[in-house]
Amino acid sequence: MNEQQLINNYQAIKSQIPNHVTLLAVSKTKPSEMIKTLAGVGQSDFGENYVQEAIAKINELKNVTANGKPLIWHYIGHIQRNKTKDLAEHFDWVHGVDRLIIAERLNEQRPKNLPKLNICIQINIDDEDTKSGCQPEELTELVKKISQLENIVLRGLMIIPAKNSETAFVKTKQLFDKNRQFHANPQDWDTLSMGMSGDMAQAIDAGSTIVRVGTAIFGARDYS
Ligand SMILES: *Cc1c(COP(=O)(O)O)cnc(C)c1O
C-alpha cells in the first residue's frame, strides 16, 4: 500500500466516527513508517499487540508528534504476567486487564515519573473458551478493588465479541452503566473499548467510546 492509499483509508474511516469516539489505529505487524504517516495527518492513538514489537516502535517514534503532542500508545494484546513491567513502563493505556493480580502488578510497576496508567477491564462477554476476559459476575469485585489502586486509572471496559454475537455490545454497555456505582472515582469511568474494522458502526451505536481499527486502515496483516 502506498502512502496516499493509507491516508485515504484513514480519512474514510475517520469520517465514519463521531467526534466523541476515539479512533485507535491498530498498527500491529505494520511498519513504523506507516505510523509516522498517520501521525502526520493528525492520528494520535495507536494500538499494539506484541510487546517486543511495540517497544521497538515506541522507542523509534519517541520524537514523533501528532497535532504537536506525543503519540499515545495502547496495549490491546493478551497480557502475560511476566510482561506487566514492560507494559507499565512503555504504554499509556492497557486494555484487556482481566485479573486483580495483573492490575496490582501494573500498579506497582508503573514508574512514578509517568502519569497514571489508564486501564480497561476485559470481559469475556460471549463466554468463549478461546478468549481472555473476566466473567460478568466477577466484574463488580474487580471494579471495587482496581479503582482504588494509586498509579492506575480504571477507565472502563473492553471486549472482543464472538464472530456473530448480536448482544455483546449492548450487554457490555449495560454492565458498564451498572458498575459505575462501584468505582472509587466514578468520574474516571468513561470508556467502552469495543468495535473493530468489521463491526465499528454497531459498536458506536451501542455506546462505544474507543474503536480499535486495523485492517480497514492498514490493509490485511501478514503474519508470515
Ligand atoms: C488486531 C486487533 C484489532 C483490529 O482488528 P481489525 O479487524 O484488523 O480492525 C482490534 N482489537 C484487538 C484486540 C486486536 O487484537
Side-chain angles (χ1 to χ4, degrees), residues 24-28 47-50 75-78 95 122 158-160 193 195-199 211-217 219-221 223:
L24 179 53
V26 177
S27 45
K28 63 184 179 214
E48 291 281 340
N49 289 52
Y50 310 107
Y75 184 75
I76 61 173
H78 176 67
H95 303 228
Q122 183 174 358
M158 182 265 206
I159 59 158
I160 307 173
S193 168
M196 322 203 308
S197 293
D199 54 15
V211 289
R212 311 180 306 262
V213 181
T215 310
I217 296 174
R221 287 177 291 273
Y223 287 100

Side-chain angles (χ1 to χ4, degrees), residues 116-205:
K116 293 182 185 191
L117 181 66
N118 297 291
I119 72 167
C120 294
I121 297 174
Q122 183 174 358
I123 307 173
N124 189 350
I125 195 69
D126 293 310
D127 196 17
E128 294 174 280
D129 291 341
T130 53
K131 294 252 168 83
S132 328
C134 72
Q135 292 300 312
E137 312 81 70
E138 297 173 308
L139 183 59
T140 294
E141 201 52 31
L142 286 174
V143 170
K144 284 182 185 168
K145 295 207 164 114
I146 295 177
S147 66
Q148 294 181 37
L149 299 174
E150 317 193 299
N151 301 318
I152 57 189
V153 185
L154 177 58
R155 299 291 296 265
L157 301 176
M158 182 265 206
I159 59 158
I160 307 173
K163 267 224 156 37
N164 295 304
S165 177
E166 307 213 320
T167 54
F169 297 139
V170 169
K171 280 203 301 209
T172 305
K173 171 71 163 106
Q174 287 168 350
L175 287 168
F176 176 75
D177 290 340
K178 222 173 69 185
N179 279 277
R180 169 174 282 108
Q181 61 183 306
F182 302 113
H183 197 299
N185 303 295
Q187 74 281 1
D188 292 338
W189 187 246
D190 61 2
T191 299
L192 273 176
S193 168
M194 54 188 198
M196 322 203 308
S197 293
D199 54 15
M200 198 178 83
Q202 297 96 297
I204 292 171
D205 283 347

Side-chain angles (χ1 to χ4, degrees), residues 75 79-81 83-89 91 93-112 116-120 146 149-152:
Y75 184 75
I79 305 173
Q80 286 175 309
R81 194 183 157 122
K83 293 287 166 58
T84 52
K85 186 158 185 284
D86 285 332
L87 301 181
E89 289 178 350
F91 283 86
W93 286 72
V94 175
H95 303 228
V97 173
D98 59 1
R99 287 172 290 158
L100 182 60
I101 183 71
I102 297 292
E104 287 174 340
R105 288 172 66 93
L106 291 169
N107 181 59
E108 277 163 29
Q109 293 165 338
R110 181 66 168 174
K112 297 286 180 287
K116 293 182 185 191
L117 181 66
N118 297 291
I119 72 167
C120 294
I146 295 177
L149 299 174
E150 317 193 299
N151 301 318
I152 57 189

